[in-house]
Structures are given as C-alpha cells and as structure tokens.
Amino acid sequence: MAYPSLQKYYMKRLIAQREMVADYQIVIESSHHGPTSLTKPPMFIEIGSTEIEWTDENACSIICEAILEVAACDTIRCDKAAICLGGTHYPTKFSKLLIDSEYGIAAVAAKHDLNLIDKEMLDQMILKSVEKVGTLILDWKGLGREKERIMALAADTGLEIIRL
C-alpha cells in the first residue's frame, strides 16, 4: 500500500529543514520494495548509502523529527495522486513535482525497471494506494526503448496522462 500524502508531507517537512542537512540530497527513490501483501502503507527512508551517513546523528534526528511530525498529523492530504514512470532510480523530476505541485506519488518505476511493468503490475500500482490514483505522469525522455509499450499500457488505464 502506498500513502501519497504521507510521503508528500514528509518530503515537504524535510525540504523545510534542508539547511540543517545541507550535505544531503533530499530526493525520493523509485519503488522497489514491492508489490507486497502489506495492508498498511509502509514508507522506506534511507540516509545516504554508507555507514558514515547512517551514523550521522544530526541527519537521523532530522529524519526522526519529520517522521514523528507526520505521524502525529491527522489532516494529511494531497489534491491528486499519481503513478510516475521513467527517469532515474533517484528521480529528481518526480521529487520536484512531489514537493512543488498538488500531486502525491503512489509509485515510481524507473527507466531500468520499465521492462517489468505489465498490465497486472500497473494495476497494482494504481489500486494499492490509500488515495485514489487519477494520473499517470511520464518522464518522457526517461522512458527509453519502452516508450511505445508504456504508452499502450497507459492508454488502457483510463488515467489522465501527463508528459514531463
């Protein structure tokens, strides 16, 4: 299960604290921990990729504060939920969209995983969201060789399609 508003609110909270973790890039990561049979929405958070970052008490504190603030808020919501396809594993285009627009993101499939996306997988990405997904956002240049096949799948969803 995905919770687009939860991720959106959490990311906005981190961006507001950016100066306190200036050495870190604040970005979402493409979905790669699912699909699962979990019925409650998980959120995976990484602080860097080495033991140096993992033991950074300041960064860990900022992350924990953001999580606690988000968990305590009962008015979290975004106006629109979307699935995003294409781009890199750390999709800066989609991160910017998440922070700067009305969209929350239910799932992201990076360019290197698009060959794994079929109708069943796309349906799961759409249905396994706390909030109703109404839009499919495509990193147009980041679709690579899968562009035509992904466009055919996208057309069958009935979702609004936006090209970035």
Side-chain angles (χ1 to χ4, degrees), residues 78-96:
C78 60
D79 294 332
K80 298 180 178 185
I83 300 296
C84 297
L85 302 177
T88 64
H89 188 73
Y90 297 99
T92 53
K93 281 185 186 178
F94 297 144
S95 295
K96 184 169 175 32

Side-chain angles (χ1 to χ4, degrees), residues 112-125:
H112 62 39
D113 288 328
L114 291 178
N115 63 316
L116 303 172
I117 303 298
D118 57 13
K119 181 183 179 342
E120 181 183 354
M121 181 68 69
L122 190 55
D123 286 346
Q124 284 189 59
M125 293 168 80

Side-chain angles (χ1 to χ4, degrees), residues 17-26 56 58:
Q17 299 294 322
R18 181 189 311 250
E19 70 282 350
M20 296 178 74
V21 285
D23 294 338
Y24 290 85
Q25 181 183 20
I26 300 173
D56 180 340
N58 178 59

Side-chain angles (χ1 to χ4, degrees), residues 35-87:
T36 71
S37 58
L38 297 173
T39 57
K40 303 247 187 239
M43 189 161 70
F44 297 92
I45 299 167
E46 289 181 10
I47 302 174
S49 55
T50 71
E51 195 168 337
I52 293 168
E53 291 92 10
W54 303 334
T55 58
D56 180 340
E57 290 183 21
N58 178 59
C60 291
S61 177
I62 299 297
I63 296 295
C64 288
E65 288 173 17
I67 292 168
L68 290 172
E69 183 178 315
V70 170
C73 186
D74 60 356
T75 59
I76 298 172
R77 65 175 292 278
C78 60
D79 294 332
K80 298 180 178 185
I83 300 296
C84 297
L85 302 177

Side-chain angles (χ1 to χ4, degrees), residues 83-152:
I83 300 296
C84 297
L85 302 177
T88 64
H89 188 73
Y90 297 99
T92 53
K93 281 185 186 178
F94 297 144
S95 295
K96 184 169 175 32
L97 176 93
L98 177 67
I99 293 161
D100 295 339
S101 76
E102 70 253 351
Y103 288 98
I105 298 174
V108 177
K111 180 180 179 177
H112 62 39
D113 288 328
L114 291 178
N115 63 316
L116 303 172
I117 303 298
D118 57 13
K119 181 183 179 342
E120 181 183 354
M121 181 68 69
L122 190 55
D123 286 346
Q124 284 189 59
M125 293 168 80
I126 294 165
L127 295 174
K128 290 186 175 184
S129 175
V130 170
E131 294 147 333
K132 183 176 174 21
V133 171
T135 307
L136 186 61
I137 301 174
L138 307 173
D139 179 339
W140 192 243
K141 291 181 181 177
L143 292 176
R145 294 183 213 151
E146 296 290 328
K147 191 177 287 182
E148 287 182 33
R149 192 179 68 76
I150 292 297
M151 285 305 295

